[in-house]
Amino acid sequence: MSNYSYQDEPSGRRWIIFLIFLMLIGFIAAGVWFWYTQGGLEKANDPVTIAAAPPELEPLPEAENIDRLPISDEQAVADGTLSRFDDNRWLESESFIGTDSEGRSAALRIYILSQDYAWRFGDGSVIEGPLGQANLRNLFSGGDFQTRFCAADSVLAIGTSSFEGPTRLNHRLARSRGRELVGSLSNLRTACAENGPQLLAASLGEHAETSPCPGRDRCPEATASQRRVILVGVDSATGEVNYDEALWSGMRRFEETQQGFFRDFRLADYDQFEVLN
């Protein structure tokens, strides 16, 4: 009968067995620690809850490939869909109603800087006008715009982008432009007698390929109308309106009844719709 024992094992093999044993202990300890820190004991006894699904918005239609030139400000004013104020620098739409999924409604109005102004191509913070880079504070302050701004319940700043690069870049530009408008408008609130309106940034993303340029070539001058400076004022609201849903429903309804409305702010011409805050 053999008297072989563990002590007879070569020392190298004993060390390997010892290390494997330590590794197993370490894995087990790490697993127990992770389960505990993630609330394993508590979560095991928690009742299962299912979050309520967010209200579904109607799917965004595919952006249209439109081969006609954009409607000019003069034509929009002649059609009666926009009217001018502040020495023709600003244009505004008629008021229209938007309703959220809970039935709460808001009276909305669109404000657009004249076609002399547009976001600089490929830039998320600069607006160019007849004299080059425009001063946002001067564009917003004083005159009838300031009166309308201070009287509003909320103001949504809409960022847009033409084809200025990869789609991901264009989406980032549109978001940056919406947030840049909110930053400038926040300075204007100090001039209001009361607290001023709530400010929200929004993005429509990238405009459809509508320019006369061949293919998807970049053409800043031809696509300037797709980079207009656009705001939505909320004249009044009933309760805590979800402006994401209200603006969506209101715009869709308004577009259906106003076929001649300023074409470069139609949801169908852009590939996104999101309120950012």
Side-chain angles (χ1 to χ4, degrees):
M1 180 179 294
S2 174
N3 293 323
Y4 177 83
S5 66
Y6 174 77
Q7 285 74 18
D8 295 323
E9 288 280 0
S11 60
R13 181 177 300 178
R14 289 201 301 271
W15 272 109
I16 291 174
I17 294 173
F18 182 69
L19 288 174
I20 293 175
F21 176 76
L22 288 179
M23 290 175 62
L24 289 174
I25 294 297
F27 284 134
I28 294 172
V32 171
W33 176 85
F34 179 80
W35 181 72
Y36 180 79
T37 56
Q38 297 300 312
L41 291 176
E42 291 79 10
K43 291 182 179 180
N45 297 320
D46 282 350
V48 176
T49 58
I50 300 176
E56 292 187 1
L57 297 176
E58 183 180 350
L60 188 69
E62 290 187 7
E64 298 179 5
N65 259 328
I66 304 170
D67 57 4
R68 63 178 184 272
L69 293 175
I71 297 173
S72 66
D73 289 356
E74 289 73 16
Q75 186 60 50
V77 171
D79 292 341
T81 55
L82 293 175
S83 58
R84 297 181 183 273
F85 65 95
D86 274 356
D87 297 327
N88 297 332
R89 186 172 63 189
W90 283 97
L91 300 96
E92 65 180 339
S93 74
E94 65 184 63
S95 179
F96 59 98
I97 301 297
T99 306
D100 66 16
S101 59
E102 298 296 326
R104 296 165 297 202
S105 61
L108 310 171
R109 194 183 300 269
I110 297 170
Y111 298 97
I112 306 174
L113 266 177
S114 81
Q115 61 191 24
D116 294 331
Y117 298 89
W119 290 102
R120 176 180 291 175
F121 189 86
D123 194 298
S125 61
V126 175
I127 293 173
E128 294 184 322
L131 302 178
Q133 181 173 342
N135 186 306
L136 280 175
R137 182 172 297 185
N138 292 340
L139 291 175
F140 294 147
S141 61
D144 292 333
F145 178 84
Q146 183 169 330
T147 301
R148 287 166 166 79
F149 174 83
C150 290
D153 182 81
S154 300
V155 173
L156 292 90
I158 310 295
T160 61
S161 172
S162 59
F163 175 64
E164 301 167 55
T167 297
R168 181 179 298 179
L169 169 64
N170 296 336
H171 289 172
R172 187 163 63 247
L173 283 172
R175 296 187 188 102
S176 297
R177 288 164 178 168
R179 293 188 175 108
E180 183 70 21
L181 292 175
V182 166
S184 296
L185 289 169
S186 63
N187 297 321
L188 185 59
R189 295 178 64 183
T190 59
C192 299
E194 298 181 359
N195 293 330
Q198 176 188 15
L199 299 177
L200 301 169
S203 169
L204 288 185
E206 179 187 78
H207 195 281
E209 191 177 340
T210 64
S211 75
C213 304
R216 287 179 64 81
D217 290 343
R218 298 170 176 81
C219 38
E221 293 182 2
T223 58
S225 65
Q226 302 169 8
R227 303 189 301 278
R228 296 285 290 269
V229 179
I230 302 170
L231 304 171
V232 176
V234 181
D235 294 337
S236 61
T238 57
E240 297 293 329
V241 177
N242 182 319
Y243 290 122
D244 195 327
E245 299 172 359
L247 178 59
W248 174 269
S249 70
M251 281 296 301
R252 294 302 302 273
R253 189 180 304 113
F254 191 53
E255 290 173 2
E256 291 172 359
T257 59
Q258 294 286 350
Q259 296 299 326
F261 178 63
F262 178 70
R263 189 187 64 76
D264 287 294
F265 186 34
R266 293 201 316 162
L267 297 180
D269 291 343
Y270 291 87
D271 68 348
Q272 275 189 335
F273 176 80
E274 56 179 349
V275 175
L276 305 176
N277 61 333

